[in-house]
Amino acid sequence: MANIISDETIKYVGILAKLELSQEEKESAGKDMGRMLDYIDKLNELDTSDVEPMTHIFSMNNVFREDVVTNGDDRSRMLENAPQQKDGAFKVPRTVE
């Protein structure tokens, strides 16, 4: 294990995460972080010079649909359910004085 995490680093990460760790949990977290960094080092050994950068594993183009109005401007039908209405709009209790 080439990557050894210091006690200060574990303490700092615990503070950032707002965790209170026992000594046993700190040791376990240090080992876990070390294994993660070792794995990252192993991944860095891979030759990715021929790999095209991508943002997603699937080829995706614009996935957004066109914004098309389907219900139209049917104000009278919308206002049928209004408990109160005024001048073609919903009337609601005043909330700001």
Side-chain angles (χ1 to χ4, degrees):
M1 182 148 94
N3 293 301
I4 298 177
I5 306 298
S6 70
D7 291 338
E8 293 82 26
T9 303
I10 302 272
K11 184 178 177 183
Y12 182 67
V13 171
I15 291 169
L16 290 176
K18 298 186 184 216
L19 297 174
E20 293 182 25
L21 301 173
S22 67
Q23 187 59 35
E24 184 179 289
E25 291 171 323
K26 288 178 185 178
E27 291 171 7
S28 177
K31 289 177 186 175
D32 288 344
M33 286 184 209
R35 282 196 296 269
M36 285 185 250
L37 292 175
D38 286 340
Y39 187 71
I40 291 170
D41 286 343
K42 189 172 189 172
L43 288 176
N44 285 334
E45 294 173 6
L46 294 173
D47 178 22
T48 58
S49 59
D50 293 334
V51 178
E52 183 179 335
M54 59 183 165
T55 58
H56 201 277
I57 59 171
F58 302 111
S59 60
M60 298 179 86
N61 294 327
N62 186 0
V63 295
F64 299 108
R65 64 173 173 76
E66 281 294 318
D67 190 13
V68 179
V69 177
T70 57
N71 61 349
D73 185 20
D74 196 0
R75 183 181 301 211
S76 60
R77 254 187 73 220
M78 288 182 220
L79 288 172
E80 286 175 1
N81 293 322
Q84 294 181 343
Q85 49 183 297
K86 180 180 179 182
D87 299 327
F90 287 90
K91 183 176 177 183
V92 296
R94 185 177 183 147
T95 57
V96 180
E97 293 190 31

